[in-house]
Structures are given as C-alpha cells and as structure tokens.
Amino acid sequence: MLPLTATARSAVTRGRLLKSCRLFNSKTSALSVAGAYQTHSPPMHDIPEIIGDRSPRVDISTNSGKLVILTDLFDRPTEGDEEVDAISSRNRYIRNRNHVASLMDALVTSGHLKRADIILPQAHEILSPEEFALVRNDFLQMFVKKDLEDHKSVSYSINWLQSSVDRFPGIPLDSKSYAIIIATACRMPDLLRGNEHISDLMKQYKKQGGLAKDILQHVELFTFRDARRVAMNLDIDEEDLPADFRTDGSRSASPEDAESMSGSVTEALSKMQQCEAQDILNRLPPDVFKSGFDSLTPVDSHGIKLLRSALKGVAASKRPQLPVYASNPDADASREDEGFLHLEEQLSLLPDEDQTKYRDAFESYNMDRQLALETLALESARERWKYDYEQMHARGEVRVKNINHYLWEWHTAMTEQLQEELKRIDLLLDYGTGKPSKSKTRGAPKSAVTPSDRARMRYGAYLKLVDPAKLSVITILELLKMHSSGGGGVTEGIRTTRAVLNLGRAIEMEYNSEQLLKSDVVQTGFRATKSMLHSVPEFKRSLAVAKRITEGKNLSSWRPEWPDDIKAEIGSTLISILMHVARITVSAVDPVTGQQVSAIAPAFTHTYQYTGGLKLGVLKLHRDFVNKISREPASAMLHPQQLPMLVKPKPWVGWNEGAYYYSKTALMRTKDSAEQTAYIKEACRRNDLESVYEGLDVLGSAAWIINTRVFEVLAKVWNTGEEFLEIPTRYEGDINFPLEPPKDADPAVRRDWARVCKLMIHERRTSHSQRCDVNYKLEISRAFLGERIFFPHNIDFRGRAYAIPPHLNHLGNDMCRGLLMFWEGKPLGERGLRWLKIHLANVCGYDKADFQSRVQYADDKIQEIFDSADCPLDGRRWWMQASDPWQCLAACFELADALRSPDPYAFRSRLPVHQDGTCNGLQHYAALGGDIEGARQVNLEPGDKPQDIYTHVASRVHDYVKQDAENGHEVAKILVGKVSRKVVKQSVMTNVYGVTYIGARAQILGQLKDTKQIDERDLWRCAAYLTTLVFKVVRNLFNGAHLIQDWLAECAKRISKSVPPTVHSDLKPNSSMTSVIWTTPLGLPVVQPYREIVRKQVGTNLQSVFISDPYAIHPVNSRKQVTAFPPNFIHSLDATHMLLSALACGRNGLTFAAVHDSYWTHAADIDRMNAILRDAFIKLHEGDLVAKLKEEFERRYAGYMQFIEIDNHSREAKRITEWRKELRTRLGRKVTVRDEIEEESNRKELLNSNDPIKRAEGAAMMTPLSIIGNTDIEELKMKRVYTTNGTRNAVKSTENESGEKTSEEIIRETLGIPDSVPTERQETASINDNLEASEETMEEHSLDDEVDEQETVEDTDSTAIGSNIKVLKMRGLGIFYPLTFPPVPPKGAFDVKTLRNSLYFFS
Amino acid sequence: MKLGEPGVLPNTWRGAIGKAHQRVNMVNYEKSEEILKYLKLNEDYNKNFELIDCYPGCGVWSRALHKHLEPKVHVMLESFDNYYSWNKDGYNRDLSASKVIQVDPYKWKVYNLLERYGAYKPEHVPFNQINKSLLYTGQFTTAQGGQLLSQFITCIAYRNWIQKFGRIRMLLWVRDTAAFRAVATPEEPSRGKLSALVSLFADIDVVAASDSNDFKRQDTKTGKFLERIPALRNAPIKFSVDDTFMKGPLVLLDVKPKEQREWESEISAHEMEYVLRNLFITPKMQLRTSINTLGAGAREYFESRLGHLYDKTTHQLTPDEFVEIFQEFKVWPYKPEHLFDLGEDDLDSRTKRDIIQFI
DNA sequence: CCAATATCTATTGATATAAGTAATAGAGAATAT
DNA sequence: ATATTCTCTACCGACAATATCAATAGATATACA
C-alpha cells in the first residue's frame, strides 16, 4: 500500500472536494505492465526555489534519479502469445487478458454465470494467478448471491468452490473466496445449516493453512452482526477481530439499525445517501436564502431542474422553445441567467459570516448539480424528446415532425428492439451452449445457432451492462454528434469504423461511470453515516468499508478496457438496430409523373466510398434530416458527456483520476499506445506527477462565465441564417449543380464537371459542419448562461494541456474565446486599464507596435469602440474588421464599461487578457542554444519595441531578392517588392516543426497565389526560389536553434534504430523497437508513440472494420520518431513552462488560463503574471536542458546497441566480416541480429564475472566490439562524402514529352501545320472551353520562358545553396555498437536571465 | 529481323528508360502476322481507313499491322524519346502515310488536338454498325494499362472520345492483370464492375496471350492470370515471352463496341456507373441486401419492381438484368441527390478557390 | 469406453478493388539484382 | 552485397479500407425415431 498521494498539496483550498478525492487514491494495478525499472541516482541538481516566497519547492530537475524506465515491455506480448497458443481453443476469439477479464466482468455483472463458468477455464489459462483470483472471486460473489436467492442456501457455491480447486490448480482459494461464501451463509434463512457451512468452510480454510481472522478482515463483506456471529460461532477471540467489529463499549446500535445494514452494504448505504440527498434538499434552501437571496429560488436546488433547463429539457412552466434562439431572452430568464453572478457581486456587502455561508451553500448546491449533470444528462435528453413528442401530439401537429419528435420515435422503437435483442442474448448466454441438438447428418449438428447468434454470444454480455433505454439514447446522441463534427475525413457522413468504435467506447464509458457511481454511493453513504450515526460501531465499520472499497477498487475490480473488436461489435449492433428503426418522412418529385410524392425512409444509410481504389464504409444521414438539423437548434442533441463543469474539477490524483467526478477521465490523451500508458501509469504510481497535477488543477480551477452580451449578438446573427464572419450561410435545398455535359463530351470535360460538383458538395458539407459547430457552441453557451463553469484539463503525450469539454472552451477559435470570460472580476487599477487597452489592440491585430502605441491605438479608436459596444450590429461594426472579431467585441464591451464606470480603475473586469509568446518555439530554441541573435529576434532580449521575426525574415529575404535581381536573376526580378511578411510567415513558423523544402514551397506558393501579384506561370519558380531563400535566412538567423534541432534529430535517429541489450525476438534487420522517451523537467515521461500500424479486419454487423490491436507492440516508425522529436521536445518544454507558470499563478492567487503559448489572466494581474512567467522560463532554462537530455538518454538507453556503418575497407571491418563467417559455420545457420547481440552480452557477462577464469574466457572471446576495441569509432564510421552535382536526375524523366513543348506544339510540328492558330477553335463550346483555353495559354507561356530559365538557373549560384552538392552515400559494414550520442552543440553566450526585463517576450 | 535480342535494342535502354521500362512490347513480327491473319482484319479494314496506334514501342506490331492493312493514315503516338526516334528515324521510318508524333496518348487532350489539326479525320458512322474508317490500337502494357482499358470501356458507354465517331474497334495490348478483369462473364470469379460494363457495351475477345507456361516456375506473381483465367489460358493464339521485349505477360484484346440500343438514350452512363460501382462492392450478396447501398430506402422501394432479382447476387446478374435495374433506378424519386463518389477529395483551399471562381 | 472420421466453424492470410499522373526534388527506406 | 525504385514530404489536439476466398486448425458428433 502506498501512502496517500496528493496529501502534500499546497494551500489551494479544496474543502470537501479534496477530502473525497483522497479516497480515490491511485494505485497501479498489479496487472499493469510490471515496473521493473532501474533507479540510478546521479547527483541532484540543486534547483533554487521558484517564484515567490509562498511557493513551495518544485523540483524541475529532469535527471534527479527518478526516471521511469520500463524495460520489460516487449517481453510480455511474446509470453502472452505463447499462452494464447497454448490455449488452442476454437473459441480463440478470446485473445488477451483484457478481453477475457472484461468478458468475465461483463458476464458476472450481467448475471450470466453459466456462461461465465464456461469462460473461466480460459481466464485461468490466460490470466496471471493474481488476476485470476480476482476474477474468480468476482464470479463467486455473484454465484453465491444467486445461490442464496434461488436455493436459500450456499451449498451449490460450496460445491463449486471445492471443484474449483481441482479445476484451477495452482490457484488456491484465498481468504476472500471463503469470506464471500461465509458472509453469504450468514444470510441463509436456515441458521443451523448456515452455521454448519460456516464452520465447515472455516475448517477447510484452516486446513489450508489460513487464519480465521483473515476471513473477517474482509470487512466490506460482513455486517457487524454477521461478523459477530461468525466470530462467536468459531470462537474467535475478540482481539483477533478487526477493530471494526470489536465491541468497545460504545456500541449502541439497536438491532433495527443492524438489521437495516444487513443485505448488501451498498444497498443500505445507498438508502442512506438518499436520506442525505433528501436532507440536503430540505435543508439547503432556507440556509441559502436566509440572507434574502430570494432570487436564487427560480433555480431550484434540485440540480435536475437546472440540468433540464440547461439542456433544454422539460421545464414544466415553460412553453416549448421556438425553433430559433430567443435573441433577447425575456427579463425573467435574464435575471435567472445572471442570478449567480449578481449575487456574487453583491456578496461583499454582507457580513463575512453570511458570505461564508452563502459560499458553502453555493458549492454544495453546485456539487449536487454536478452530480446530476454527470449522471442524469442522458435522461434529460430523453425527457426533452418525449416532451416535444407529446406536445406535438397534443396539438395535433404531427404532419411536420421536428427533430425531437423523431428522436423520441427512434428512441422508443430502438429500446423495444433492444429489449428483444437482449432477450435473445439472455437465451443464448444461458442455454446457447451445452445443449446438444440432434441431427441426422454426420458431423456437428446443424445447430440453431446462426453466425449472428455466435456474435451475440461474444458481445451480448457487454450489451447487457447498460440499460437499453440508455443504450438507445447514447447511440442516437453519439451518431448525431459524430455527424455534425465531421465524419472523420469523409465529406459526407461518418466513417463506419469511427462510428462503431466511438459508440462502443461511449457505452463502455457509461458502464464505467455507472460502476463508479455505485462505488461512490458508498462514499456518499459514508458521509451520511457520519452525520447520522455518530456513535454506532457500524459507522466505524462503514468507514473501513469505504476505505477498503475505494482503495481496493483499483485493485480488485480491475476493470479492463474493452477490446476494440468488442467495442466495434457493440457499436455496430447498436447502429444496425438504430438504422433499422430510425425512419423519417421524405418527399421528392417523381421523375416520371412530376408529382410531389412522399414516403417513409430510413434516416441512416450505410454505403461505401472508394478512396484511391480502396473501399471505405460510410454512414450517411438522410439529407432531409440533415436539413432539419441545420434549421433547428441543437437543443436535445447535446451530448451530455464531457460538458463544462459546475464545480471545480476533481483534482488530479492518478492516471485516470481527476476532472469529472462520476466518470473516469484519462490524464493523458494517449494514442492507443501501450507503451505510453505504461509509462504514465508508472509515473503516477511513483508520484512523479504532483506538479503536473497541480498545474492542471490550477487551469481547471479557473472559473468562467459566458459573456452574455457576446452571446446575444451571436445568437442574433445566427438566427438570420446569413453568413457572418466565420459563420457560413445556411443552405437549404438541393445544390445547384452545373449542367451535366452532353453524353459525348470529352472525358476531360466530364472529369472537370465532376470535380466542380464534388467541390460544391464539399463546400456545402463544410459550411453545414461549421454551422453545426456554431450551433453546438451556442447551445452549450446557452445552457450555461449565468453559470459559473470550469474546464477540466488533461494533457497530450507531450504535456501540453487541453480543456476536456469539446466544442466550447477557451482553446477554441475566436468565437469561443469571445464567448468566455472569467467568473471572478478584479478591479482594473491603472495598470489593468492599460493592459485592457493593449489587449484590445492585440485582438485587433495591432500587436507589433510597442505598448504605448497600442494603448494609443485603443485611445484613438475609442469612438469606434463605444460604437461597437453600444450597437454591435446596428452601428458601424468596427469590431468585425479586427483580426479576432469576437474577442474584439468582448474587449469593446469591457473597455466601454470600464471607461464609463464612475471609477474606471475600480471597475471589476472579467475579461481575460492574453500574453502571447512571440514565436514560442523559437524562443525555447534560442534559450536552449544561448543564441544571441536568435534571442533578440524573438524578444528574449529586452528591446524598445517588439521584434517581429516574420517581418525580419521577410526583409532579409527581400534583400537577397533585390541583390539577385540586380545581378539579373529573372525570378528575383519578378519578386522584387512582393516579399511580404505574410508570404513567409507560415514557413518560418513551421520551420520549427521541421517543414521540408517541398512543404514550405507549397505554403509559399499558396501565399503568393493569394497576393495575386504574380503571374500564374511564374508561381512555381518564384515559390521554389523564395523557399530556398527563406530556409537560408532562417538557418542563418537561428543557427543555434538549427544546431540543436539537428542534434535532437540525430539522437532520435540513433535511438530509434537501436536495440535493447536483451533482444527477445528475432528482429527484422531494419525494424527496431526503441522509441524516443524523455522526461520533462516536471517529471512527465514523454513517449513518442510512432510505430508501424498493424491493423486487422474484424467483422461486425454492418461491415468488416479495420482496426489495430492496441496491445501489440510493433516496430517503431523511425522516420516519424526522428522528424517529430525536435518539435515534440520543444513542445514538452513549452508545456512545462506553461504548467510551471500555472502553478506559480495558482499559488499566487491569480486566475490562470492558457492556450499553449498564450497565457491569460485578469487585466489587473497581467504584471504579476508577466513576472511569474518570465521567472518560470528562466528557471526552466537555467540548467542546460540539452545536456540534461543527453544525460537522460545515456542513462535510459544504457546498454542499448546502435546500428552503425563502418568503413568496410578498414581492417576492423574485414575482421568482423570474417568473424561473422566463422560464427555462421559455428552455428550452422544464418547469423541473426540476435545471435550477434547474444554473443556480445555473453562476453560482457563473462568479463564482469568474479571468476577469473571466466573473465579470461571473456577477454579471449571475439565479437565485433572486441575487434573494434579501443579504435575510435568516429574514425571508423562512414563519412558522408560530398560531391558536386548528383548524377541522379540526369538519366531520369525522359518519358516526358521532349523538352517542355506542349502537345499542341508537337502535333503541329509533326503534322507540319503552320503556327497560325486555326479559327475553328470554338467548336467545343462547353464549360470545358475556359479550362482548356487557360491550360493552353499557360503552356504556351511556359514555353516562352523556358530558355530564360535554363540560363538563369545555371549561372546564379548565389542562391542555390548546396542545391548541387549532393551527399553521396556509400554503404559500409553494419555493426552493432553501444549507443552513444553526439556531443551537444556549444551553447551561445545569451544569458536567459536577461529576459526578465524583456517587455515583449510575451506580449 | 527480330527485336528483343541482345544488340537489337541497346541494353543501355534498360537503365535509361524510366517509366517506360514497364512497357512490355510484342516484338515477334511473324507472330504479329499470325495474329492479324487470325483476326481477318483485312476483310473490314483495307487501305481506306485510319489507324491510331498508341505506344508503338519497338514498333513491331505497328509495322506488321501497317504492312498487313496499309491504312491510309497511320498515326503513331509515342511519348518516350527512344521509342519515338526508334520508330520515326529507325525501324519504321519507311512506313508510308505514317506519322510518329511524340505525345502521350494517355492524355485526352491529345485526341482533341489531333482531331483539330486533322491528323485523322474519321467518318461519323451510325451506331448500328462498326465504324470501319478508324481502327484504334496500342500497347497499354504498363501498370496503368488497366486504368486505360477501364476508361476506354467507359468511353464506349458514353460514346465519347473516339467512340463518338461510331463504334470504333480497338485492338488493345494489355497485361494479363488488366485483361482478366474485362473478359469475365457472370458468375465467373473475376466478374466485377469492369466486366459488367464490358458485357453491356462491347463484345470482347482474347485474341492472343502469352503462354502461361513461361511464367509458371517463377515465384513472382507475374503472369499468373494467364493460367488462372480460362479465357486467357484458352486464347486462340499463344506466344512465348521471348516474343516480347521486357519479357512480360501480354494479352491482345479485340474490343468491338455493341450497337446502340434504345435504353441507352434514357439512361445516363453516370447513373449506370453509380449503380454498378455500388452493387459490386458486395458482389456475393443478394441484391436484396446490396441494393441498399444505392440509397436510403432502396430495398423497400425496389421490392415491388425488382423483387424477382432479389435472390440473385450482383455477381450473377446478367447484362439484361443490369439494364432492368438501371431503368428502375432512373425513375426512382428518392435517389440520392448526387451520384458522385466523394472519395479522394483532398482538395486544398487553393484548388477550391480556383474552381469556385471558375463556376 | 475408445478410435477414426466426417463435417462444421473460426481464424488467418491473400488478393482485388478504382481509374487520370497538374506540378515540383531530395533523403531514406524498401526492394530487386 | 549493391543498385534501383519507392515513398514521403510539419507538430499536436483528432486513428482506422473492405469483401471475399482458400487454407488450415480445431472441435464435435457419429450408427435411431
């Protein structure tokens, strides 16, 4: 048992939240990848305290001896495979531990014990003994419960128990197994028989060597009374009883009390919880409203109402919503929406006592509502559908059904269908097997079990875990959500694979939440017990129970993730059922009669697309329904999972403990990588992530509120259905396709026509998606209007933080950001007002001037600002021209309010003000490299005004262009005066991410095209030319950065091609298993997940889907490892910087939010935040991070072998070759990588032995390494040979038409037709004419220019850096050599501390 | 003179050929003559016709064809430098009334231009008879051959491209991998969309094929269809790998477009493609099931009209039955709003804007 | 009860699918010679 | 072992080709009305 984590947390007051969370302690399950990690302890780097005196020490030293190094990741799959093979069962669909464990869980939980019993042997073979013991006990518990129910006895269970010993040798029954039965035996009506059983079992257990008291140790199973009975029955000494069952004098529980506790503890406690809830309900309002907060009343305290109105569920007093947004909510509603905020504002007028009281009540109230939000949202959606349905029927309006009407119909039909399905599953699971049927044919009987029935037996148990009505609601909501959020790369509809997997996952989540809730009941029960049963020993016991259950939960109920194929089967089953029942009325024009006809059609269709000749399954929603969606508000289509929270998120305490209270959320968004998961779990287990947790908690505890005024403007605009900023027009009706070309039109014409049509479809679909997205955002905003909301955060695998709720969060686009502001207001003060103005200038895009100018900018525009604030839509709409219009509008509101308030400095501002890193990636690079020039360019160095790197690069590039132009460079001439900031910006930015020449050129091409200043025919050459220049300039400017980038890449290359010292399977020569892993200064292990993707086909109800087995470990994709490492490393640093800043801000009482490299806080606190974030950056970079990284690599990959090539003409190479030949003859077979490495490790073992003879033996042994001996490996390594001019392209590309002549030229020439253009050219009049014409002119032009180009390109070498120097690669002899890393590039003279005074570092 | 022997074509070509190295060529003149005799082409095409000859390559087939039929116009379209000059200035320099043009017959535009500049001027002949004023041949023996074959067939369905002049017969050299898809009949394993289209719009014959024995022993997959597909195995004329340059499996297909039938005027080939494409996604499923891929509610709607076909699998459907389905589909009120296959639309914003502007 | 066998099923691996290739260029990996 | 061809081309949030068939391995019932 580990000590409780998170206890040493800082002063952040979490009140009861924290208390309850501690119970959710994280334990790495015994089943996770075993952590045979090595711990070295190099000297600790003494890191001085960070930021502010109130800050406790945060250890940001990377290498302080706490690396998580997991070495046995690769062993397991191999063993597992063997095990699976050993099973050799036809029912091999049970593939892995996860599968069998989850299946057992499902079968047991759903009560299909017979089937579970059949599966059990397989579990026995696949699972480890510990795992199996847990699974068996789970089974036993359910079995004995049934036994008691059915036979009023436990004798069957005892029989089963006995046989179990023989059936599963090697896995003795543990104390819990006995405890389970004994505890149940206590409840047998026949007390005597019960006692017999108890003593028999006890005897047996003792015979097995167990102690009686161990049995009673399982306090969660026994009631107080039963425990006493057992003890009495067996003459167990009082002292041997667990403390919980001792009578220590204070016992006062009446028999009734005790009786009420019998039966399942959980049930009883849940009863109590209800009491408590009732109690809260009764007690709360008077408490809350005592001080005259009557306006709170409309939002009653029973969370559900809020939930309903929030999710537009049934509010009995309200008329159903019109299918448009009320753009100006009526006064009442408005009051209601703003209720909490107004109250909060007036709070300061009250005595402290009342304030505290109010706050407590408010938290408690929100806690309840959060519970409701997380647990009842599905019902709420359903209620809403039902309500709409009934309303329409009551009014007789059934001709045109609205969405909710349909959804209700589907839901009811689907639920019914599902129940049928579940009945069938029941039958199959209970009787489907072991019932021999007869047949006349030889061989296996033609059983009545169809293939689909067999499938049912696979997934049925899982399906039974969630209530059918819930299944149906989830299915509908999930599909609608996926439909609107873009189907995963398909233009129309949803990828089937995505749909089935997501849906399967959603069901699993629901099940897990329910289970969690059940166990949570115990906790809340505990709270109730505390208040109600103070002196009863039962209380103590329940405390122990609660503790045991919550602690044990992680251990005993290893709730394994459902395998993907199961998810797919469940998802596809549900979808097929929905597809079967979901119907809508559609109408169309009969092409023959011309009449309007209508019919009932399925709402969903399953079709396919071909992409590149490969099939792709797609689910489509009927277009009539799609139209409905874009017309009607998203109302009850909101997916209730992962909404913003009403209370502070549960603090993070483990790899899946944090954020929401009633569902598990992963701390890290992993990419289905077992490796990543293993590392993060291990790091959590070792409490390495306290700082990360705390940082995320700070981000999560920022309270937000919807900016009502922005919301109103948005809603108004939305309702017009017109295009507005990024909101596209609402299209309805069919797309107006261009006329199909005549049948005999040229294939090219036809192709172009099809392209145009497809594009129009694409456009339409995109704008629909966008509108849906806005719709969702609006709907969420609307639901939470006036509420204090929180965004729980988690991290990606590099540590960057993201808000979990999708659609609406502050990381979203301009609109999302405009809609959100801080809940808490802080008086601006003088500085705050200034920052507010600067912020306004920033969001207008005026962010490249110095601060004073930005302030001036805001002052100058003050009339516009007022106008925008006063009449956002009816005025001059100045805000709309801003680069971030919605945020600008919000800023206008805020600034106008502030300035107009009697005392602007006292104005309580809620608007988050941003400080953005100026090219943050380069900032980190510059700091890493101590690169003075680079540091200046990205404002690490103090300056009077901000440096804009993009402008700078553009001007340097332009200098070159001018110079070349003067020298007669034709392309340069074209470009003079046309190299703008915008043209180079993207490429400079992406340079940090390792953009290639080709990629950058494409970007520049696009930008050039946009300027429209350059002739089409020159675009390519210009882009190519500019790209080389941009690369050159950037490399010069950030030389230090590039050295580091190269160093990082080189390390990644070596690592990803290295092999661990112990190779367990023969590798293909080029496949390596080592991914790049490093630890951020905050202790987060980052594992690059890039591996070869291996997917298999899995059949489902709809189609077969192609999914990967996430538990298989595949060779790394070393290319991806290499190219992604530099950016990932930098991102892991910027994430660290952000979390450090968050930590410090949190501890200093600032509200803090961040979008990676944009940090937000109240205007008034910007100065403090600026100091904090600078300090954090300095602390981060004070140590030599690159050197530390190298150290870490050297430790982490100690003993790894890298594949290098040495000069095969060297003496050593020749000897190695001979040695290999020798080895080959010795082994009598081909030498593998493994052989060679084994030889080497043998040698090492001998050398390290204590036995001198062995040592001598080792010394005498020959391996490639011993051959190389002390020779400098760098000398032996193949050198890159640079030669001028590659011959590569000389031979290539002769297949093209000769020269650059157009086909037309050639044809004319060959046919001897004069150049005069014939006049009969107009003959093909169609949409093609334009196309063709333009094509031709283009080609003619390029022909004209061709001569020039050849000349100019040849003799301008000023720009062609290295373009005709090719690396000639020669193959050497490959050997394995201990992995080493190149020396880190020398660090420049820049002192990172100087940035403390840099105003524009973040600005 | 026999090509393909060392020395006749310089070995250096191999390395220098680039993509053209994939092109397998018929280089046995006698064999070519044998094929031509078997085809009895001279009954239909004698002197007074034009010949479009794509990728003559080594030029042996072209030469044999030319000598055998003596077309009044012989247009050779050869994009690859070496092959081009080989034909123009070398091996085929003496052919009368012939032009070697260095353009890529892969490109549709080329045909427009050739027509515009009068490289060939075929007569328009009604669709009730084969147009004997034009013959189309070529060696489409790269990996793209299959694509071209498929598109040529589609062109027959649309009666566009050269097929707009009438029913133009085509002698197409393709690889076995391309040929076998086109020649399958209902219920044959390789029956698919292409062969369905072929059987609707053309009579196709395997005239000659490589001898499958030449490819048997190789562990590579090359040429295995020669063995597996009866139509190829039983080709009237067999030739050996030694008859080819670049030694690969080769099949000569004789494609004769069918006459235009009445239903063709009602049904857009676009719709036919859609129906075929979707039905052949699940070739072994009954129409009852597969018809649902045609659009929402298809099964229910067509039950009364096509129910008699519902038990058949797509794989079993005959051309006539397809026509029946086309015709019903044509008048289906609830057909999808468009019939495009939206796959492969990685249209970036630039192209998008261009095209939008164009509209 | 066993043995042998016929028959059935699940699993796995292989193969085909569609159908314009609009361009660019250089390194690294994979495959063929 | 060396040469040629094939592939991919910026990071993260946000993963996904499918139908069909042949071969094979494993399970299970068989001789009755």
Side-chain angles (χ1 to χ4, degrees), chain A residues 489 491-492 583 586-592 597-599 601-602 605-613 615 620 622-623 733-735 737 740 743-748 750-751 753-763 766 1002 1005-1006 1009-1010 1012 1291 1294-1298 1303-1304 1306-1308 1310-1311 1313 1318 1320-1321 1323-1324 1327-1328 1330-1332 1335-1336 1339, chain B residues 15-20 23 55 78-81 84 88 99-104 107-110 112-114 116-119 155 157-161 164 260 264-265 267-270 272 274 277-278 280-282 292-298 300-301 330-338 340-345 347 350-359:
Chain A
T491 307
E492 261 183 344
R583 311 216 149 226
V586 297
S587 57
V589 177
D590 189 304
V592 180
V597 290
S598 72
T605 329
H606 175 219
T607 54
Y608 298 83
Q609 274 181 7
Y610 275 107
T611 37
K615 301 181 190 84
K620 284 186 185 166
H622 199 284
R623 67 174 184 277
D734 293 341
I735 302 173
F737 290 120
E740 183 175 346
K743 211 175 171 186
D744 63 351
D746 193 72
R750 195 157 266 292
R751 187 192 63 206
W753 168 75
R755 264 185 57 145
V756 170
C757 294
K758 286 184 195 175
L759 206 73
M760 293 174 81
I761 296 163
H762 191 84
E763 285 289 295
T766 311
L1005 182 80
K1009 210 171 200 174
D1010 277 352
K1012 305 222 162 109
V1291 252
T1294 31
E1295 173 73 343
N1296 297 333
E1297 295 154 17
S1298 71
S1303 307
E1304 181 163 4
I1306 293 165
I1307 289 169
R1308 264 199 244 138
T1310 318
L1311 298 175
I1313 290 170
E1320 76 260 19
R1321 284 191 60 168
E1323 88 256 75
T1324 47
I1327 53 167
N1328 178 41
N1330 287 323
L1331 276 185
E1332 199 178 318
E1335 208 176 338
E1336 280 166 22
E1339 281 176 357
Chain B
I17 270 170
K19 264 189 187 169
R23 271 158 64 177
Y55 300 120
E78 177 55 71
S79 52
F80 175 53
D81 283 346
Y84 168 70
K88 182 160 178 286
K99 286 257 157 45
V100 189
I101 309 179
Q102 192 172 23
V103 289
D104 194 340
K107 295 176 178 165
W108 299 121
K109 191 175 68 176
V110 164
N112 287 334
L113 293 166
L114 288 171
R116 179 181 303 160
Y117 293 113
C155 286
Y158 278 105
R159 310 280 182 198
N160 63 0
W161 181 57
K164 70 182 172 228
Q260 196 162 35
E264 278 185 59
S265 59
I267 301 164
S268 133
H270 185 52
M272 292 189 252
Y274 174 83
R277 186 173 67 229
N278 281 284
F280 271 108
I281 284 171
T282 53
N292 251 334
T293 60
L294 295 185
E300 291 84 343
Y301 176 85
K330 167 87 191 169
V331 296
W332 185 28
Y334 307 104
K335 75 182 118 177
E337 71 178 319
H338 68 82
F340 298 102
D341 187 0
L342 294 179
E344 232 170 334
D345 46 17
L347 306 147
R350 268 179 296 115
T351 4
K352 222 187 275 180
R353 221 176 309 118
D354 290 353
I355 297 192
I356 293 293
Q357 269 176 6
F358 162 76
I359 300 171

Side-chain angles (χ1 to χ4, degrees), chain B residues 122-162:
Chain B
E123 300 160 25
H124 283 265
V125 174
F127 288 104
N128 57 5
Q129 52 183 302
I130 294 280
N131 183 341
K132 292 171 186 165
S133 71
L134 183 65
L135 183 63
Y136 185 83
T137 189
Q139 305 193 98
F140 304 96
T141 54
T142 61
Q144 283 97 336
Q147 180 194 6
L148 285 166
L149 176 61
S150 160
Q151 283 166 348
F152 291 163
I153 302 297
T154 312
C155 286
I156 302 179
Y158 278 105
R159 310 280 182 198
N160 63 0
W161 181 57
I162 58 165

